[in-house]
Structures are given as structure tokens and as C-alpha cells.
């Protein structure tokens, strides 16, 4: 049977960009911003100096050094057995990030080959069975099953099915396989 | 009414990679290969030294300097009035090509913004109404209307609707609008 396809976002889903913002912000301004203070705010407006995040996003090396999201490696290893995984990142706004993101994926997720990597501007023409993303702009018009991955900026979103952690995501996706077999 | 979407390939569709191969081959080996001698052969096997093409594909500057395909600029300007155009290039195998292709698009097709550019490994999850491509591997499993753009390597392909030039492609795509209006 053909495996179902999943489009996985990078930033805030498999790459912990939020922690990376906090670390870089502390390095530059000497202030440690708490995760709690980011809740419900747009990423580019949540920090005392709102220009800093935009600057980081265009700084060479930023995307290459993002920490891996907790649980993502283990989850993807499990999911690859039953699903076809595509990494789909809306990276085109940040041209310097493209080779960095490729190198980052090669280092941290070597099992995902270049055949399954997609860099785009918007995700409007992506056609997979599932999409895991932290941004509603990518999920709202998605034709498959959208899954919102919790990030501080999206805690007040209530119109999408949500997972808070990678183990939760894996449990949900595996349950769809069981449901399918039982029908 | 929502515009229909078209996924346009880059190499051999809006970028004249075939002429670029011939020019680079002549520059390196002093031999001018005729277009006729390429007919029906895979691009990477059509030249006397088959390794040369692979080498070119990984050479910095190759993709940045490809000539624009004849008629592509005029065609895209016309089509953008009635269609939503995405550039979809299977470029991920050649990481050095990604920033070059972005710069090339910005120079030659400035009206196409980063929002509508997609770089991928395979085109299996692309969901547009039309796809114009020179490779059957991209068209065979496409769920919209596939359009084969003639290149020397695909002249013997007979199982896809074919256009030989950009004016032909425009005429066909515009005819789909008329047909729709008359129904």
C-alpha cells in the first residue's frame, strides 16, 4: 500500500527557532527573555527590540545553528516506517537560509534525502495527506489534514487540531493507521 | 474567480539549458555539438564526454548564466494576467544552484516574487491545475493537466500533450479559459 505523505515544517516544528531567538537575543542584549512572555505574540513583535528578530533571520549562520526540536529526531525515525516524509519550509524569503537549511538537514536528519526536501515561498500548492506546521497561514487552506504544532505565538489559535509535543504528534499519526486498518 | 495555477519548470522550459550545455561544451572541448545530434538522447548521455554535463551541473555559475528560453518572458507576462504562476524547479540535487536560480529569476523574471518560487527534490506533492515540464518523471504522476515542453531529449515521448514553443503553450492555456467561459 502506498504510504501516506506528511509535510513537516522546519522552524518551530523540527528546528527550535524560538529557543534560538531567545539565545541570540540574550547574546546581543544581555537580557534573557522568558518563554512565558512570548505567549500569544507574533514572533517578530514579542521581543523588546522587535527589529532584532528580523535581523537574526537575515544573519548568515542563524539557520545553520538552530537546535533540533526536542523529540523530533526520534519521532521522524518512527514515522518514516509508515509514512512518506517531506520537509516543506517556506524559506524563500530568506535566500541565505537555503544552503544553511540543506546543510542542517543533512547533519541532523541524514535519512531524509534531497528528494524529499521542498523550499517554497508559500505552501499553497503542497498536496500531502498531513501537514504539521506552527503557522495557520500554511494550514488554513491546506487540502489534507492540518496539524498545528504548538509554539508560543500560536497558543490562542483554536480552529486547528493541535499537538503540543512530538510524542503527541506520533501518537496521533499512528492512530490514523490503526483507524484505517479497522475499517 | 480564483485564477487557475500553473507550475512552470525552469531548465529547458524558461531557461535554455540545452543551448547552455552546447556553449559550455564548445568552450571546454572546442567542439560544437549540433542540436540534431541530441535528439532522443538523455541529456547526460548525449555528449561525446558524458561526464562533462554532470560536471557543468555542479559548477558554480552554470545556472546563474543560462540564457532565457526564447519567448518565455513574453509568454509569462501574458499568462500572469489570467493565471497564478509558480516556478517549480527540482533543484535540490544541486545545492549550489539554489541561490543562483533565485538570482537568475530575480534578474529575468522580476514580476515573479519569492512567494511563487518552489525548489524541490521531486515534484510528487505539487498540486496545481497545469504543469509545464520537459521531463516525464515530473508529469507522469501529476494530478492536474500535464504539458510536455519539447526538448531534444523528449522528442520520442508520445504519451503527453506536447507544446513545442512558448507561443503554442500560451495559445493552449488561453484556449482553456475560452472553453471554460463557454460552458
Amino acid at each position: 500500500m502506498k504510504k501516506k505523505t506528511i509535510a513537516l515544517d522546519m522552524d518551530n516544528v523540527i528546528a527550535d527557532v524560538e529557543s534560538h531567538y531567545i539565545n541570540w537575543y540574550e547574546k546581543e542584549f544581555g537580557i534573557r527573555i522568558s518563554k512565558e512572555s512570548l505567549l500569544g505574540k507574533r514572533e517578530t513583535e514579542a521581543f523588546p527590540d522587535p527589529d532584532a528578530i528580523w535581523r537574526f533571520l537575515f544573519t548568515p549562520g542563524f539557520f545553520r545553528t538552530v537546535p533540533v526540536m526536542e523529540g523530533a529526531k526520534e519521532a521522524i525515525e518512527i514515522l518514516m516506517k509508515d509514512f512518506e516524509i517531506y520537509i516543506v519550509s517556506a524559506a524563500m524569503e530568506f535566500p541565505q537560509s537555503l544552503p544553511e537549511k540543506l546543510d542542517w538537514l543533512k547533519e541532523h536528519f541524514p535519512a531524509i534525502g534531497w528528494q524529499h526536501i521542498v523550499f517554497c515561498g508559500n505552501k499553497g500548492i503542497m498536496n500531502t495527506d498531513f501537514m504539521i506546521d506552527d503557522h495557520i497561514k500554511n494550514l488554513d487552506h491546506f487540502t489534507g489534514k492540518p496539524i498545528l504544532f504548538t509554539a508560543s505565538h500560536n497558543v490562542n489559535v483554536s480552529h486547528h487540531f493541535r499537538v503540543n509535543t512530538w510524542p503527541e504528534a506520533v501518537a496521533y499519526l499512528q492512530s490514523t493507521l490503526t483507524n484505517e486498518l479497522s475499517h
Side-chain angles (χ1 to χ4, degrees), chain A:
Chain A
M1 199 175 70
K2 197 175 167 292
K3 287 180 179 177
K4 297 233 172 186
T5 50
I6 309 175
L8 291 187
D9 183 31
M10 287 182 78
D11 299 343
N12 286 332
V13 172
I14 65 169
D16 189 355
V17 168
E18 197 171 290
S19 297
H20 206 41
Y21 288 148
I22 291 173
N23 293 337
W24 274 47
Y25 201 89
E26 183 177 21
K27 201 172 57 181
E28 180 164 336
F29 296 94
I31 303 166
R32 182 88 187 159
I33 304 297
S34 71
K35 291 227 174 196
E36 290 67 36
S37 72
L38 303 178
L39 292 173
K41 296 179 188 159
R42 290 167 63 98
E43 296 162 277
T44 48
E45 293 166 3
F47 289 80
D49 180 342
D51 296 338
I53 300 306
W54 277 111
R55 206 165 53 243
F56 296 164
L57 289 168
F58 283 101
T59 300
F62 180 79
F63 287 101
R64 183 64 186 86
T65 54
V66 178
V68 175
M69 183 66 80
E70 192 183 335
K73 280 191 186 185
E74 301 77 0
I76 289 181
E77 196 183 326
I78 294 167
L79 290 174
M80 283 182 86
K81 293 175 191 157
D82 295 312
F83 296 89
E84 188 174 355
I85 304 283
Y86 283 88
I87 302 295
V88 181
S89 178
M92 217 52 82
E93 192 175 359
F94 314 105
Q96 94 289 348
S97 79
L98 303 182
E100 294 192 20
K101 282 179 175 249
L102 264 184
D103 287 344
W104 187 92
L105 286 167
K106 201 184 274 182
E107 178 186 346
H108 298 294
F109 295 90
I112 295 172
W114 57 261
Q115 293 88 345
H116 288 85
I117 298 172
V118 179
F119 293 153
C120 55
N122 71 60
K123 303 190 184 182
I125 61 171
M126 297 304 140
N127 183 27
T128 50
D129 296 302
F130 301 92
M131 176 179 284
I132 306 186
D133 209 292
D134 64 315
H135 279 290
I136 55 169
K137 70 179 175 197
N138 297 323
L139 298 173
D140 280 352
H141 302 286
F142 177 58
T143 52
K145 169 73 181 175
I147 301 171
L148 183 70
F149 200 92
T150 294
S152 293
H153 69 81
N154 70 29
V155 291
N156 297 325
V157 172
S158 57
H159 67 286
H160 281 297
F161 173 69
R162 175 190 293 277
V163 295
N164 294 298
T165 63
W166 269 109
E168 264 187 48
V170 171
Y172 167 70
L173 287 161
Q174 289 188 323
S175 77
T176 68
L177 296 169
T178 321
N179 290 342
E180 198 156 89
L181 287 174
S182 68
H183 280 105

